[in-house]
Amino acid sequence: AGRSATAAAAYRSGQELHDRRIDRVFDYTRRRGVLHSEILAPENTPEWMRDRGQLWNAVEAVEKRKDAQLAREVLVSLPHELTPEQRLDLVRDFVREEFVARGMVADLTLHSPDRKGDQRNYHAHVMLTMREITGEGFGKKARDWNATDQLEQWRAHWADAINRALEQHGYAERVDHRSLEDQGIDREPEPKMGPVATEMERDGRPSLAGNDRRATQDRNRRRAKLKAEVV
């Protein structure tokens, strides 16, 4: 979409990075909520790729098309039940096994919940390179990394990783990556709200997305009530 991968990396990590392609500095050093950030890379990765600024500037430079996909971003929710160290171990191991082992360089950042939002919302952003590593630079794009069935496999593996961690640390809670329909649960999924609607709702201003979510919640309550009456 023409956006800067360097700017995205700076924002996720709360750092200051210079985008050489457009000669602009992106400074997010005042950003709050960044708990941890690091670059994870395969063994054959040249050392300079472990520097966030050099990595994403090289990604920008290697692409010639204006509409080229510069990176893939994976956003994962982290179990609030776990300690900070346990959450980091969980997502770091997953990124190494599922992405780095396939040849991707991963820019991993853990974020805390927004101060005005749900205090259970610990999460991680993982920005991933799209091209194979050859020698001291990037080679061709690995198209199979973008396959839909690969994404579904990652979703399933992430659910498995969370459940193993919860069991290991003595928690009974479990997650399921499947849709409610595939799980056989008779409940309408609640619509997600974007950042604009979320901010409006936090300020006490109703939003269209918020109204849709409340309407869905109301329908689910009425559905549950009808089922209870039938039973």
Side-chain angles (χ1 to χ4, degrees), residues 10-176:
Y11 180 75
R12 302 288 183 268
S13 63
Q15 292 186 347
E16 177 182 317
L17 298 178
H18 176 222
D19 188 327
R20 294 194 292 265
R21 178 173 59 88
I22 58 177
D23 192 22
R24 180 177 172 184
V25 173
F26 294 93
D27 185 358
Y28 293 104
T29 52
R30 293 188 177 183
R31 192 182 193 283
R32 297 182 178 181
V34 178
L35 300 175
H36 177 84
S37 67
E38 65 177 309
I39 303 292
L40 299 173
E43 290 184 1
N44 65 326
T45 302
E47 192 60 32
W48 64 264
M49 285 191 186
R50 300 179 188 275
D51 177 276
R52 183 170 283 111
Q54 292 191 61
L55 171 66
W56 294 112
N57 271 292
V59 166
E60 301 262 4
V62 76
E63 301 294 347
K64 305 306 179 185
R65 291 175 47 177
K66 292 183 178 179
D67 61 347
Q69 183 181 359
L70 300 173
R72 177 189 303 101
E73 183 177 30
V74 175
L75 172 63
V76 293
S77 296
L78 301 172
H80 67 93
E81 295 90 348
L82 302 182
T83 67
E85 293 77 14
Q86 291 165 353
R87 285 191 288 266
L88 176 57
D89 288 343
L90 166 64
V91 70
R92 183 187 274 156
D93 288 346
F94 179 80
V95 169
R96 283 173 173 160
E97 293 171 8
E98 300 293 336
F99 305 131
V100 176
R102 285 177 166 83
M104 305 174 210
V105 180
D107 190 345
L108 168 64
T109 305
L110 275 65
H111 288 172
S112 63
D114 189 284
R115 288 180 299 168
K116 297 181 180 179
D118 189 334
Q119 293 307 296
R120 299 169 298 178
N121 186 27
Y122 291 94
H123 57 281
H125 295 265
V126 189
M127 288 183 62
L128 302 165
T129 54
M130 306 288 297
R131 291 178 175 270
E132 298 175 351
I133 298 171
T134 56
E136 286 299 309
F138 289 110
K140 63 181 182 180
K141 279 195 172 179
R143 301 294 179 182
D144 57 318
W145 293 347
N146 258 355
T148 301
D149 59 346
Q150 177 63 79
L151 174 61
E152 289 302 317
Q153 186 180 81
W154 282 330
R155 285 169 52 84
H157 289 180
W158 177 239
D160 291 341
I162 290 177
N163 288 334
R164 284 196 302 270
L166 288 171
E167 181 178 14
Q168 176 186 353
H169 297 293
Y171 294 98
E173 289 80 359
R174 298 292 183 268
V175 301
D176 197 313

Side-chain angles (χ1 to χ4, degrees), residues 201-230:
E201 294 285 334
R202 288 172 182 167
D203 292 340
R205 295 175 290 148
S207 65
L208 292 176
N211 291 339
D212 287 344
R213 172 173 284 189
R214 284 183 284 274
T216 301
Q217 291 171 339
D218 183 60
R219 288 193 294 272
N220 282 331
R221 282 191 292 269
R222 286 188 278 119
R223 177 185 281 110
K225 182 180 179 180
L226 287 172
K227 288 181 66 176
E229 291 174 353
V230 169

Side-chain angles (χ1 to χ4, degrees), residues 172-201:
E173 289 80 359
R174 298 292 183 268
V175 301
D176 197 313
H177 70 286
R178 297 173 298 168
S179 67
L180 296 177
E181 182 179 1
D182 288 343
Q183 294 180 58
I185 298 175
D186 183 21
R187 189 173 75 241
E188 185 178 346
E190 294 183 12
K192 293 186 177 180
M193 297 196 302
V196 175
T198 299
E199 190 65 29
M200 290 176 63
E201 294 285 334

